[in-house]
Amino acid sequence: MATITPQELQTKVGEHLGTSDWVLVDQEMINKFADATGDHQFIHIDEKKAKLTPFGGTIAHGFLTLSLMPMLGQSTDGPRVGGVKMGVNYGCNKVRFLAPVRSGKRVRSHIKLLELLEKRPGQWQQTNEVTVEIEGEEKPALIAEWISQFFV
């Protein structure tokens, strides 16, 4: 995988930076997320009751799908900034959950660089548009404007 400087990455504003590997969202992952967050709504964890809903089975929490963005980002096939000492999440400008991720489906992300600013020497703030695709489905699971910072 290619390594570039922050200044080289800055020239890619407006461009697609890459696509991640596929990740399976299975019932075990959904159950663990329910336990971690205390969100045990039946639509996520009760397969019998969930079959009676319009979804036809259990679905991942929207926030589970959102929380996969760092992992998906790590497996993206795009360029990496060399010499990064630390990266942190800064937040999101926008998040929209567009389609449910059914248990057993795979997701992957597509990343577009919207902005890259040097906040102070060696501290960069990156805003990406992240679209999380559901394998075999037309509508994405979510679209988010994700802000992170990295330090070189």
Side-chain angles (χ1 to χ4, degrees):
M1 179 161 314
T3 12
I4 62 174
T5 67
Q7 293 79 8
E8 289 169 320
L9 182 59
Q10 214 167 22
T11 68
K12 298 186 178 301
V13 169
E15 294 181 19
H16 179 262
L17 291 184
T19 300
S20 75
D21 294 336
W22 289 104
V23 171
L24 176 66
V25 179
D26 60 12
Q27 194 59 49
E28 181 182 3
M29 179 188 284
I30 294 168
N31 291 344
K32 285 180 179 178
F33 190 83
D35 289 342
T37 61
D39 182 351
H40 292 96
Q41 186 180 162
F42 81 92
I43 194 68
H44 304 302
I45 61 166
D46 188 327
E47 294 177 57
K48 283 184 181 179
K49 283 185 186 176
K51 279 184 184 175
L52 302 175
T53 71
F55 303 119
T58 56
I59 59 171
H61 307 70
F63 285 118
L64 166 56
T65 307
L66 184 68
S67 74
L68 294 174
M69 288 190 341
M71 176 176 46
L72 294 168
Q74 286 300 312
S75 73
T76 298
D77 57 7
R80 298 271 186 252
V81 174
V84 173
K85 295 179 174 120
M86 177 178 69
V88 294
N89 287 319
Y90 194 69
C92 291
N93 285 333
K94 301 175 192 173
V95 177
R96 294 294 180 265
F97 301 108
L98 302 173
V101 177
R102 289 169 177 78
S103 178
K105 283 288 197 168
R106 295 190 321 162
V107 298
R108 69 177 175 183
S109 67
H110 302 276
I111 297 175
K112 177 181 177 182
L113 180 61
L114 297 179
E115 183 177 61
L116 183 64
L117 304 170
E118 189 171 22
K119 300 302 278 183
R120 56 179 62 100
Q123 179 184 352
W124 293 83
Q125 183 167 299
Q126 181 172 348
T127 305
N128 290 319
E129 179 185 83
V130 180
T131 302
V132 177
E133 170 189 8
I134 306 166
E135 187 174 37
E137 297 193 21
E138 203 171 300
K139 210 174 201 183
L142 69 82
I143 297 177
E145 223 175 77
W146 180 24
I147 308 165
S148 59
Q149 293 187 353
F150 62 88
F151 300 81
V152 292

